């Protein structure tokens, strides 16, 4: 029997067929900011967040690896989140989004979403159905964020309804640490903002803290500080002044 006839065994084709393993990505890094943006939706979570969200959508710039997340109540909110991020990112960088890569989920295929991309000249790169490997950057980000979220909630024994705060904190930290996807041990923050990140304000998620109450809101004998739990690090850093904090033992 010749070798060619053995290679065409239909019984084996039907009984043993499998997908060839995906090779490690050889795709070149984008050449500039916003040349390529990766996006994916994660959810639904088994419990809603304090704000009622059950999903989050992420956007990652391929060149800088800078990522941002938006928590959503429904998948249909993706377009609104994208418009907000697009306007903010383009204004910050002075560049225009050239391509968006996502899976073929219905939230990305709506007529409104297609019209918006067409209006702004954005190429939509869709993955083949049931092939999340082709959207590996966004899929890997979701995995990283959820791993960190579970660990933070478990470490402080926080209720699962705080998952949105933990996800935002995980993304905030991810942008300020080095990654193998960037050269010379640089961070996404450094490329996106043009300066090295300041991490001196970082605190353990869920630890107790005290913040200053504006003097306009207190009377002469009222407390000048109030206690809280550190959740979204970005909000704590930008909106209130921490006057002290208590880390958990070993934290």
């Amino acid at each position: 029997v010749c070798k060619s006839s053995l290679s065409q065994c239909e019984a084996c084709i039907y009984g043993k067929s499998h997908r060839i393993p995906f090779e490690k990505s050889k795709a070149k890094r984008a050449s500039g900011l916003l040349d390529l943006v990766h996006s994916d939706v994660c959810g639904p979570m088994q419990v809603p967040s304090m704000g009622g969200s059950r999903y989050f959508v992420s956007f990652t710039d391929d060149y800088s690896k800078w990522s941002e997340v938006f928590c959503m109540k429904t998948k249909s909110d993706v377009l609104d989140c994208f418009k907000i991020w697009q306007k903010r990112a383009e204004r910050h960088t002075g560049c225009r989004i050239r391509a968006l890569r996502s899976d073929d989920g219905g939230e990305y295929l709506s007529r409104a979403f297609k019209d918006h991309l067409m209006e702004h000249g954005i190429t939509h790169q869709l993955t083949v159905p049931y092939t999340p490997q082709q959207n590996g950057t966004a899929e890997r980000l979701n995995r990283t964020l959820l791993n960190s979220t579970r660990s933070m909630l478990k470490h402080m024994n926080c209720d699962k309804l705080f998952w949105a705060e933990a996800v935002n904190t995980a993304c905030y930290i991810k942008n300020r640490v080095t990654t193998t996807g960037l050269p010379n041990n640089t961070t996404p923050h450094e490329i996106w903002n043009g300066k090295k990140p300041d991490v001196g304000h970082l605190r353990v998620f869920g630890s107790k803290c005290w913040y200053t109450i504006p003097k306009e809101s207190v009377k002469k004998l009222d407390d000048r500080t109030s206690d809280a739990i550190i959740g979204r690090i970005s909000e704590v850093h930008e909106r209130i002044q921490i006057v002290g904090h208590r880390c958990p033992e070993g934290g």
Side-chain angles (χ1 to χ4, degrees):
V1 180
C2 66
K3 183 178 180 180
S4 60
S5 64
L6 290 176
S7 63
Q8 298 298 324
C9 174
E10 290 194 14
C12 290
I13 292 175
Y14 283 108
K16 302 179 181 180
S17 178
H18 64 278
R19 303 182 71 173
I20 298 176
F22 280 79
E23 296 182 4
K24 290 186 177 180
S25 176
K26 297 180 180 179
K28 293 183 179 179
R29 176 185 169 209
S31 58
L33 292 171
L34 300 185
D35 280 358
L36 174 62
V37 174
H38 305 268
S39 180
D40 191 33
V41 174
C42 184
M45 305 300 176
Q46 62 257 46
V47 296
S49 69
M50 289 193 296
S53 298
R54 284 189 174 271
Y55 302 84
F56 72 83
V57 60
S58 64
F59 302 106
T60 301
D61 172 54
D62 189 76
Y63 179 75
S64 65
K65 309 305 178 186
W66 174 269
S67 302
E68 293 188 30
V69 295
F70 293 80
C71 295
M72 310 178 296
K73 294 182 178 181
T74 65
K75 285 187 175 183
S76 60
D77 295 331
V78 169
L79 178 56
D80 290 336
C81 295
F82 178 71
K83 288 179 178 179
I84 294 172
W85 186 81
Q86 177 188 1
K87 185 176 182 179
R88 186 162 63 199
E90 291 182 344
R91 180 176 297 177
H92 175 77
T93 63
C95 304
R96 301 291 296 274
I97 297 177
R98 299 180 61 183
L100 173 69
R101 181 175 298 170
S102 71
D103 59 26
D104 61 343
E107 60 273 16
Y108 293 103
L109 299 179
S110 68
R111 172 53 59 186
F113 207 115
K114 292 180 179 179
D115 290 344
H116 179 78
L117 296 181
M118 185 176 299
E119 178 184 352
H120 290 82
I122 301 173
T123 301
H124 198 181
Q125 300 179 0
L126 293 171
T127 63
V128 174
Y130 310 111
T131 313
Q133 295 88 341
Q134 294 181 340
N135 196 25
T137 298
E139 294 284 348
R140 187 65 182 84
L141 174 64
N142 286 351
R143 177 181 173 184
T144 298
L145 296 182
L146 287 179
N147 284 348
S148 297
T149 294
R150 286 190 293 266
S151 298
M152 288 189 287
L153 295 178
K154 182 66 175 180
H155 179 63
M156 293 303 297
N157 294 318
C158 291
D159 194 286
K160 292 179 180 178
L161 63 85
F162 290 100
W163 68 262
E165 285 69 30
V167 165
N168 277 278
T169 297
C171 188
Y172 185 86
I173 295 172
K174 174 263 178 192
N175 286 328
R176 288 160 176 78
V177 297
T178 58
T179 173
T180 56
L182 296 176
N184 303 323
N185 292 322
T186 53
T187 65
H189 183 281
E190 187 172 350
I191 296 179
W192 187 256
N193 295 293
K195 60 182 180 180
K196 291 185 178 296
D198 177 12
V199 296
H201 60 281
L202 296 182
R203 300 291 184 268
V204 176
F205 179 87
S207 58
K208 188 174 182 178
C209 69
W210 292 263
Y211 63 90
T212 301
I213 302 174
K215 61 181 180 180
E216 293 81 7
S217 301
V218 296
K219 297 180 180 180
K220 293 187 181 298
L221 298 180
D222 289 345
D223 294 337
R224 291 301 188 259
T225 63
S226 182
D227 60 336
I229 298 297
I230 294 180
R232 290 183 60 178
I233 291 179
S234 56
E235 282 194 357
V236 171
H237 181 50
E238 296 169 2
R239 299 186 182 183
I240 63 176
Q241 178 185 5
I242 295 179
V243 295
H245 76 283
R246 178 183 299 159
C247 290
E249 184 176 353

